[in-house]
Amino acid sequence: MDWLDQVRWNADGLVPVIAQQVGTNDVLMLAWMNREALAATVARGEAVYWSRSRARLWHKGEASGHVQKVHELRLDCDGDVLLLRVDQLGGEPGVGAIACHTGRHSCFFRRHEDGAWHVVDPVLKDPELIYR
Amino acid sequence: MDWLDQVRWNADGLVPVIAQQVGTNDVLMLAWMNREALAATVARGEAVYWSRSRARLWHKGEASGHVQKVHELRLDCDGDVLLLRVDQLGGEPGVGAIACHTGRHSCFFRRHEDGAWHVVDPVLKDPELIYR
């Protein structure tokens, strides 16, 4: 059986993908792939997602330069979640790589505390300078 | 606005939750929560998911003892994914904690290589001994 057939795609033909930085093991983001995106990711060695909002393939970093180089791809016990271990490129020298479109290292920059969400991570680069 | 209302629940009233081990930053699993599960998780300080297969609340570790103690809860930029940083309990002394129902540390124990999925992580404890 083809390895792509072993993934349990959801009713929309998608699977959630956790992107994790190699080395630090930081969780950077969660995005989605369809079969074509997953095949493209493996073929290129760079993350290619399916953008649900734009309904098209999305080569991560195509606008920002913040490409994710693939180090390892893993499948979970149920076959319906992927873990993509990457090296996140981009960002300014010395400030760390930027995965989030808000200009932050990780998309998970809000922490729950005392019944509210608090922004706890800094913007490393103004998004207007990233997507110009 | 209530912090629970700031989560962008999907059409089924669910949100994907990445469970990550504090300290090592290992990604352990991905599961789902509804509003009630998320509120229960915060109230108890232990992970409570929504089991889609059993259609009920699932206090992780209720059968195995492999409870996840919550250290930190984060929300992503789009508000539709949670990152739950936990201390995974259970497992045998010296072999490491077990998050996966297969008896492994993490659910992501299959690695893509040469067009196939390969099991690369060991079973730490026989599941028949975990769920007896």
Side-chain angles (χ1 to χ4, degrees), chain A residues 109-113 116-120, chain B residues 72-75:
Chain A
F109 57 83
R110 289 187 282 178
R111 184 162 63 197
H112 180 266
E113 213 170 308
W117 299 105
H118 301 269
V119 173
V120 292
Chain B
E72 192 179 58
L73 174 64
R74 288 182 174 237
L75 182 65

Side-chain angles (χ1 to χ4, degrees), chain B residues 2 7 9 11 14 18-19 22 24 28 34-35 45 48 58 61-62 69 75 80 91 96 99 102 104 107 117-118 122:
Chain B
D2 192 283
V7 176
W9 308 98
L14 302 176
I18 303 162
V22 291
T24 63
L28 299 172
N34 62 6
R35 194 181 167 96
V48 179
W58 162 40
E62 63 193 9
K69 292 277 182 191
L75 182 65
D80 61 0
T102 65
R104 293 179 176 88
C107 292
W117 299 105
H118 301 268

Side-chain angles (χ1 to χ4, degrees), chain A residues 3 20 24-26 30 52 72-77 80 83 107-108 110-112 115 117 120-121, chain B residues 3 20 24-27 30 52 72-77 80 107-108 110-112 115 117 120-121:
Chain A
W3 65 279
Q20 182 183 36
T24 63
N25 278 351
D26 289 343
L30 182 141
R52 294 178 303 168
E72 193 178 58
L73 174 64
R74 287 181 175 237
L75 181 65
D76 82 340
C77 50
D80 60 1
L83 176 64
C107 293
F108 297 93
R110 289 187 282 178
R111 184 162 63 197
H112 180 266
W117 299 105
V120 292
D121 294 336
Chain B
W3 65 279
Q20 182 182 35
T24 63
N25 278 350
D26 288 344
V27 172
L30 182 142
R52 296 179 302 169
E72 192 179 58
L73 174 64
R74 288 182 174 237
L75 182 65
D76 82 340
C77 51
D80 61 0
C107 292
F108 297 93
R110 290 187 282 179
R111 185 161 64 198
H112 180 265
W117 299 105
V120 292
D121 294 336

Side-chain angles (χ1 to χ4, degrees), chain A residues 95-112:
Chain A
V95 301
I98 296 170
C100 185
H101 76 286
T102 65
R104 293 179 176 87
H105 175 53
S106 160
C107 293
F108 297 93
F109 57 83
R110 289 187 282 178
R111 184 162 63 197
H112 180 266

